[in-house]
Amino acid sequence: MCGIVGYVGKKKALPIVLNGLKFLEYRGYDSAGVAYLLDNKVNITKEVGRISSLEKLIDLDTPSYMAIGHTRWATHGEPSVSNSHPHQVGRFTVVHNGIIENYLEIKEDLKKKGVKFLSTTDTEVIPALLDYYYKEEKDILKTIKKVLEKLEGSFALGIICDDDKENIYAVRRGSPLIIALSNDGMFIASDVPAILNYTNKYILLEKDEIAKINNNSYQVFDFNLKDIKKEINTFEGSCDDAMLNGYPHYMLKEIHEEEKVFLDTFNYYVNNDSFKETMPDFKKYKNIHIVACGSAYYVGCIAKSLLEEYAMIPTCVEVASEYRYKKNFYNQDTLVIVISQSGETADSLEALRKAKKDGIDTLAIVNVVLSSIAREAKYTLYVKAGPEIAVATTKAFLAQTTLMALLTVKLSRKYELLKEFKGLERKIKELLSKDYLEYAKAIYKCNDTFFIGRLIDYALCLEGSLKLKETSYINSVAFQAGELKHGTISLITKGTPVIGICTNKDIVSKTISNLKEVKARGAYIIYITNEECHDDFYDQLILLPKAHNLVMPILSVIPLQLISYEVAKLRNCDIDKPRNLAKSVTVE
Ligand code: F6R
């Protein structure tokens, strides 16, 4: 959470930093700020709200050639101007992504030494410590090292010091940070899209590395301040991938990219009905643990059904924030799979590290190339979703589901199942071309909705329910269809929308019975199925194209995503940036 951008170079810095921050708004968007050098003085402007609110306070023509900026997702202290970054104490000005776990101790200690604090953030102790130790060390790099020794937690920092009018300093411990290189200047950023308008050459900082950038050069130092050589990466995507390209919202644009995302993911691993070398052999593993958060966890639930059904591999799925603290029964036959779009989710990363520390093999299913989870896992398989900007995940979910279905085929050795993926893109297109407004109209005025389904359809219910909650703020619960009558059915009253999903003909009559039970109690039923249905228990029907059960979830999720989008639109919600959320959850 939180996004950092910094620029020093030949061009005016403020437009570059503000533009970069807009690309990082998915990381947090409750307040924002910039610090820039003008007439040898560091100036700071901060504002509550989006980058657009901050932009109104700034003259983009300001002849400043060095600036750092920040977009915030509040952890310590409410969103307010005083809690926004940059924070300045004495000579040091800092932007921070992450959490300083021992900030209270540090703050108490510094207060006793006479330091005054203006905010309730954890961040403010960083410039305070820097200013304090700089008086002893009188050298910026040595001071940063000393402060790193004092800080506990996970963080990425951009730092400027009044005594150095040429360089921006950057530090990484845990939270992601890159430096980027161009002929016109150097950048720091939390993520690559922030710099793609200017360059695609970047360097990933590792734990406790310190970078120093100026208008035409950069240096990276290790924790002992030894100058180190770093590999320069080239980002292959284009800036266009992260643009709206005529769509009103990123969520809609990203859902409409699903046909391509499916094909790109499939074709990356399969050629002429055979797996390519990009898909390794995992035959030695006898059981699987899948660990993830949020929607990625629901992909895990889908994958558990598939892996157990087709590959006969016992699979458990765990929420990462629990897995990392519980007793896990794994051994050398276990493969721990971590699914993450961003590859930076703190709980998922720590769960991966725990398994690694216990000597267990790990596989990352990740979208963001070279993200921490991708780099730290023993094996990494990328999904080919491209940059996902909307906070609610859609195309990455579909890509992850596609890849987990492919992995199931690989592990099952039933390679003939690969033919079931053939032509699926046409069915995706067919679903994308339908209008979902009428379904949304039945939902958008309600306070509560229910999603019910059995087995793999229940996993889709979980995702459908989450998508609706987060984008439209309607309370929603997902339930195993047969379980409703054990208590929750008491919540069904006249007009309560119940979305029933059934894509498995073996259990269709069972799910229909459960839908009739809620219908008898007044529910308004939207029935999603791939089986022709001549009964009249439902109020609206979504007929999915026919497909093999292995690939059915790739299709069934699409109406759920588009209904949530339409409901959020009818309710005038902030679709791409729902309240209280951030895309990349880099705090516990
Ligand atoms: C929901 C959503 C979140 C993420 C979760 C994990 O739409 O996007 O629930 O799925 O925060 O994020 P990643 O996949 O980046 O680890």
Side-chain angles (χ1 to χ4, degrees):
M1 347 275 278
C2 300
I4 293 175
V5 184
Y7 171 77
V8 48
K10 297 175 193 142
K11 294 187 171 173
K12 288 184 180 153
L14 284 169
I16 292 176
V17 168
L18 284 167
N19 182 276
L21 287 178
K22 283 181 189 162
F23 283 100
L24 297 186
E25 258 191 328
Y26 72 86
R27 304 178 68 86
Y29 37 82
D30 57 41
S31 51
V34 285
Y36 54 97
L37 191 69
L38 183 65
D39 300 333
N40 278 331
K41 186 177 165 299
V42 176
N43 297 263
I44 295 179
T45 307
K46 315 200 256 194
E47 182 58 304
V48 174
R50 305 284 159 90
I51 310 297
S52 51
S53 310
L54 173 70
E55 200 167 17
K56 289 189 190 126
L57 306 180
I58 286 174
D59 175 5
L60 293 177
D61 222 20
T62 307
S64 164
Y65 299 89
M66 175 163 136
I68 54 176
H70 187 268
T71 180
R72 180 170 185 245
W73 187 85
T75 57
H76 295 63
E78 54 169 14
S80 66
V81 171
S82 57
N83 284 339
S84 311
H85 303 213
H87 288 281
Q88 188 177 51
V89 178
R91 295 176 184 78
F92 285 86
T93 307
V94 168
V95 286
H96 166 217
N97 165 208
I99 287 182
I100 306 302
E101 286 165 3
N102 58 340
Y103 82 102
L104 279 174
E105 281 158 62
I106 298 174
K107 200 166 176 173
E108 280 316 303
D109 190 42
L110 288 171
K111 272 185 184 167
K112 283 184 203 139
K113 289 169 174 151
V115 179
K116 297 254 178 309
F117 289 90
L118 304 175
S119 79
T120 52
T121 64
D122 53 337
T123 302
E124 204 180 357
V125 301
I126 305 169
L129 276 178
L130 287 164
D131 194 55
Y132 183 81
Y133 285 112
Y134 184 66
K135 287 170 197 147
E136 284 173 13
E137 298 288 343
K138 298 187 173 54
D139 174 279
I140 298 174
L141 280 170
K142 284 187 187 155
T143 305
I144 292 175
K145 174 180 160 55
K146 182 115 192 189
V147 169
L148 275 180
E149 285 163 6
K150 307 276 169 203
L151 297 178
E152 286 168 19
S154 163
F155 49 85
L157 307 175
I159 303 168
I160 49 184
C161 173
D162 289 359
D163 288 356
D164 182 346
K165 306 286 184 324
E166 283 176 9
N167 294 290
I168 296 176
Y169 296 80
V171 182
R172 175 185 187 176
R173 181 183 291 169
S175 308
L177 197 64
I178 59 165
I179 56 177
L181 330 169
S182 80
N183 292 335
D184 293 324
M186 305 289 156
F187 306 76
I188 60 168
S190 300
D191 196 2
V192 176
I195 49 90
L196 281 182
N197 267 322
Y198 313 100
T199 176
N200 62 356
K201 299 268 179 272
Y202 70 100
I203 289 170
L204 272 169
L205 292 183
E206 304 285 347
K207 182 170 185 260
D208 285 348
E209 286 178 353
I210 306 169
K212 180 177 174 184
I213 59 169
N214 60 38
N215 66 6
N216 59 14
S217 71
Y218 69 90
Q219 279 175 289
V220 180
F221 305 91
D222 68 11
F223 191 60
N224 297 316
L225 303 184
K226 191 166 152 274
D227 200 340
I228 48 177
K229 261 209 118 35
K230 297 284 294 181
E231 186 187 339
I232 300 178
N233 302 294
T234 305
F235 185 79
E236 302 301 345
S238 89
C239 195
D240 246 23
D241 296 341
M243 298 292 192
L244 272 170
N245 294 339
Y247 282 92
H249 298 102
Y250 282 106
M251 184 175 173
L252 189 64
K253 176 194 172 224
E254 288 161 6
I255 295 172
H256 279 272
E257 285 168 356
E258 289 182 333
E259 184 191 344
K260 177 176 183 309
V261 161
F262 163 76
L263 279 175
D264 287 351
T265 304
F266 180 75
N267 291 332
Y268 188 73
Y269 292 102
V270 179
N271 188 20
N272 290 332
D273 293 335
S274 306
F275 281 109
K276 297 183 186 171
E277 277 175 14
T278 44
M279 176 66 82
D281 200 320
F282 298 101
K283 67 171 177 251
K284 74 175 250 223
Y285 301 105
K286 307 253 180 314
N287 63 82
I288 288 175
H289 290 192
I290 300 178
V291 191
C293 302
S295 291
Y297 168 78
Y298 301 146
V299 173
C301 297
I302 293 172
K304 171 184 162 70
S305 275
L306 298 180
L307 287 162
E308 291 185 343
E309 180 74 24
Y310 299 100
M312 312 277 279
I313 299 183
T315 303
C316 66
V317 198
E318 305 265 6
V319 167
S321 54
E322 298 283 308
Y323 191 79
R324 53 183 293 200
Y325 297 115
K326 68 186 270 290
K327 186 150 185 62
N328 298 314
F329 295 94
Y330 39 35
N331 55 39
Q332 295 312 304
D333 293 336
T334 311
L335 180 64
V336 172
I337 303 181
V338 178
I339 306 178
S340 174
Q341 186 283 129
S342 62
E344 298 295 348
T345 301
D347 285 318
S348 305
L349 180 59
E350 288 307 325
L352 174 105
R353 286 179 177 156
K354 179 183 176 185
K356 270 180 72 173
K357 196 160 158 265
D358 290 342
I360 308 299
D361 287 352
T362 54
L363 162 65
I365 305 289
V366 174
N367 188 34
V368 177
V369 177
L370 293 178
S371 54
S372 301
I373 292 174
R375 284 180 299 126
E376 293 193 25
K378 175 170 174 135
Y379 313 99
T380 296
L381 298 183
Y382 285 113
V383 299
K384 297 287 170 181
E388 195 179 58
I389 308 292
V391 164
T393 184
T394 53
K395 61 174 179 170
F397 184 97
L398 186 130
Q400 289 160 348
T401 305
T402 304
L403 183 46
M404 293 312 288
L406 288 172
L407 187 64
T408 301
V409 178
K410 179 77 185 183
L411 286 164
S412 72
R413 315 209 161 254
K414 297 172 184 150
Y415 299 129
E416 68 281 4
L417 284 170
L418 281 178
K419 71 174 185 314
E420 304 300 343
F421 293 78
K422 278 277 162 59
L424 213 61
E425 67 283 5
R426 284 194 301 279
K427 297 177 184 177
I428 293 175
K429 193 172 179 180
E430 181 188 323
L431 283 168
L432 290 175
S433 65
K434 289 192 175 161
D435 188 353
Y436 295 87
L437 187 59
E438 285 310 308
Y439 308 103
K441 281 186 184 162
I443 296 174
Y444 84 105
K445 285 189 181 149
C446 298
N447 295 326
D448 300 293
T449 60
F450 291 83
F451 286 74
I452 65 168
R454 288 169 180 257
L455 306 176
I456 207 162
D457 293 324
Y458 170 60
L460 285 141
C461 287
L462 290 164
E463 173 60 6
S465 172
L466 174 62
K467 214 86 307 174
L468 188 68
K469 281 188 280 254
E470 66 179 331
T471 56
S472 69
Y473 317 145
I474 292 178
N475 183 37
S476 165
V477 178
F479 247 82
Q480 296 94 338
E483 194 53 18
L484 209 63
K485 57 184 169 294
H486 296 287
T488 311
I489 200 164
S490 65
L491 294 173
I492 304 289
T493 55
K494 191 165 166 32
T496 309
V498 175
I499 293 109
I501 310 177
C502 187
T503 61
N504 181 344
K505 68 173 180 318
D506 297 340
I507 49 167
V508 74
S509 61
K510 307 292 172 200
T511 305
I512 288 181
S513 295
N514 302 134
L515 285 167
K516 286 183 176 172
E517 287 155 14
V518 292
K519 180 72 186 168
R521 285 149 184 89
Y524 181 96
I525 294 182
I526 298 175
Y527 182 43
I528 304 179
T529 184
N530 56 355
E531 293 292 324
E532 294 288 341
C533 178
H534 303 294
D535 218 336
D536 63 352
F537 62 89
Y538 55 79
D539 295 280
Q540 295 202 65
L541 176 75
I542 298 179
L543 195 57
L544 300 166
K546 288 255 180 261
H548 191 282
N549 284 352
L550 171 76
V551 295
M552 204 58 224
I554 301 169
L555 300 177
S556 5
V557 72
I558 296 170
L560 302 175
Q561 296 171 341
L562 282 164
I563 290 174
S564 290
Y565 173 79
E566 294 294 350
V567 174
K569 208 165 131 200
L570 287 171
R571 286 169 67 93
N572 277 325
C573 292
D574 195 346
I575 295 179
D576 287 334
K577 298 189 183 83
R579 70 180 174 220
N580 302 339
L581 291 173
K583 190 154 185 73
S584 190
V585 186
T586 54
V587 295
E588 281 185 41

